[in-house]
Amino acid sequence: MKLRIYYFIPIVLLIFIALIYPLPYGFYTLNRFVTTFFSGLGARQTWETKRSMSYVLIFLAILFNPIFPIYLTREIWKVIDLFAVLPFLFLIFLEVRGVK
C-alpha cells in the first residue's frame, strides 16, 4: 500500500497553527523537519498529475530544510508559515474532490 500524504496533512497544519504562539526554538526545528519531509513526499506523489503543485512543494522543502537553514527574522517566518499552509490545504481540497 502506498503511503498517502493526505492522511498526514492535518499534523502539518496543526504544527503551523501552533507556530502562532511563542514557542521554544526546538519546536521551530521540528517544524523544519516535518515540513521538509511532507513537502518532499507530496512533491513526489503529485509529480505525475499536478506538476505545478510539485514545484511549490519542492520550493517549500528547500525553504524549510533543516540541513542548510535559511535564516530570517521571526516576523518574516510567521508570514511564511501562514502562506506555507495554503499548498497543504489545496492538497486536501484536491483529495476530497477526487481530482487525480
Side-chain angles (χ1 to χ4, degrees):
M1 186 172 125
K2 184 176 171 183
L3 178 66
R4 303 294 300 191
I5 186 176
Y6 309 108
Y7 302 127
F8 298 101
I9 289 177
I11 296 168
V12 177
L13 295 177
L14 287 174
I15 289 175
F16 279 120
I17 290 170
L19 291 175
I20 294 171
Y21 303 103
L23 297 165
Y25 186 75
F27 193 80
Y28 296 98
T29 304
L30 174 68
N31 176 43
R32 284 180 176 268
F33 278 104
V34 169
T35 304
T36 301
F37 176 75
F38 285 112
S39 294
L41 183 63
R44 188 176 137 258
Q45 289 184 2
T46 59
W47 184 256
E48 295 294 324
T49 56
K50 298 177 266 308
R51 182 103 15 135
S52 59
M53 178 56 72
S54 291
Y55 290 136
V56 171
L57 291 170
I58 289 169
F59 173 75
L60 282 179
I62 292 169
L63 182 64
F64 280 89
N65 82 79
I67 308 300
F68 301 107
I70 297 174
Y71 295 104
L72 301 170
T73 64
R74 191 171 289 225
E75 291 78 27
I76 294 173
W77 275 114
K78 282 187 179 188
V79 172
I80 291 172
D81 291 339
L82 287 174
F83 284 106
V85 170
L86 297 177
F88 293 107
L89 289 174
F90 188 69
L91 284 175
I92 290 174
F93 174 75
L94 290 177
E95 181 67 17
V96 168
R97 300 245 354 234
V99 177
K100 296 286 180 193

